[in-house]
Amino acid sequence: MTVASQVKQSLASLKSIHATFQQFALSSADEQAQRTFHEAMMLTEEIIVDVKQRISQLEREEPQYHGK
Amino acid sequence: MPIWLEAAIRSVSILIGLFVITRILGKKQLSKLSFFEYIVGITVGDIAGTMSTDLDINLQEGITSILIWSLFPVLISHISLRNKKFRDFVEGNSTVFIKNGKVLEENLKQEKYTIDELMEQLRKKDVFRVADVEFAVLEPNGDLNVLLKREKQPLAVGDVFPNPPSEKEPQTVVMDGKILDEPLATAGLSRGWLKAELDKQGVAIENVFLAQVDSYGQLTVDLYDDKIQAQQPQDKEFLLAAIKKVQADFELFALETQSEEAKQMYEKNAKKLNDLLGRVAPLLKN
């Protein structure tokens, strides 16, 4: 497995984490829990942006992995 | 009028009357039955029984005495609601038996309690060493309540996680295979959601005996067919595991990468995820 595909896998996991946090934030009854889940969601969003940047960097350096 | 008919009419009307009276007396009387109320209850029952079978007794006399016997406690509880002194006189005061970890022998004597009886009451509360008790008090209804010393108190969630999330009561949304719309609405969910969630777990609504939603919107079910293993929700565990995995991945990438900039980015985000884990872990532990 190449570095790029490993990082892409992490990105996929992060997106799944993001979605689950979103779901929990919507379905939690407690306000405090809702807020915590929402904050966690925002934090994962930030990380996703970073990782996406890194992936496009990697793809520029190693064009053969582009899109895989 | 035949005698049996008269007895039947009397019994039915007394039953209805007693039912109304017990409603008026209320729940408090049931849970905190003092000796006085106990006697009142027995007497009222006895009068009612005699009245329904003994036809020689004049109904007027019987009803008067029942009303007096049953309304007196109501009157007393009304006065004691308003007057603290009267309340103390009627219901009695609590007596402190152990204070600051020391047994108060004077108070024991005053309540005619032997140390054996005190220890028996303590053992009922799972306290076998008097030295573990900070404070113990004998309530007016005869119960002994015990406050353990701080170091002997059981561990609570708040001791482990400083700010534990509050948990609301779970809502029962399916009972006997029927969807209960009101609890579903209380949980802020719809029939469509329930159907989708049941589909996700692979069970038909007809097969559901009981389904509950917890405060995180997770659905747990019990099925009629006990051979089928219902899948309990594992979203929380998956989420926790996924965060841990990505965090570990980032640490690995940080070690592997040659670019200094990328290394910093990974380390920063691994740290972020670690903080995140610390914050959401209390919410995700079942």
Side-chain angles (χ1 to χ4, degrees), chain B residues 173-181 191 194 205 208-209 224:
Chain B
V173 292
V174 179
M175 212 183 255
D176 290 323
K178 291 191 186 64
I179 299 179
L180 306 176
D181 284 306
R191 281 182 173 236
L194 181 65
I205 177 78
V208 177
F209 175 59
Y224 277 116

Side-chain angles (χ1 to χ4, degrees), chain B residues 15-34:
Chain B
L15 264 176
I16 294 170
L18 279 188
F19 182 76
V20 173
I21 287 171
T22 45
R23 284 283 134 167
I24 294 172
L25 288 179
K27 288 175 200 146
K28 193 193 142 212
Q29 235 77 4
L30 277 181
S31 62
K32 258 189 66 180
L33 208 59
S34 71

Side-chain angles (χ1 to χ4, degrees), chain B residues 119-172:
Chain B
M119 271 161 48
E120 186 189 323
Q121 292 287 329
L122 285 177
R123 284 195 291 270
K124 264 190 201 160
K125 300 264 174 187
D126 288 330
V127 182
F128 284 76
R129 261 159 43 116
V130 179
D132 293 349
V133 180
E134 169 72 29
F135 183 79
V137 60
L138 185 73
E139 305 293 353
N141 66 354
D143 282 351
L144 188 78
N145 285 329
V146 177
L147 176 72
L148 289 177
K149 284 186 177 151
R150 191 79 182 94
E151 64 267 26
K152 296 291 178 183
Q153 281 174 14
L155 192 65
V157 179
D159 298 333
V160 184
F161 301 113
N163 274 316
S166 68
E167 193 155 314
K168 302 280 189 294
E169 74 284 7
Q171 298 286 347
T172 305

Side-chain angles (χ1 to χ4, degrees), chain A residues 27-30 39 46 50, chain B residues 166 215-216 268-269 272 279:
Chain A
S27 60
S28 291
D30 178 42
E39 281 165 14
E46 286 169 23
D50 276 0
Chain B
S166 68
S215 56
Y216 299 103
K268 183 188 78 187
N269 284 334
K272 265 190 194 172
R279 265 169 47 202

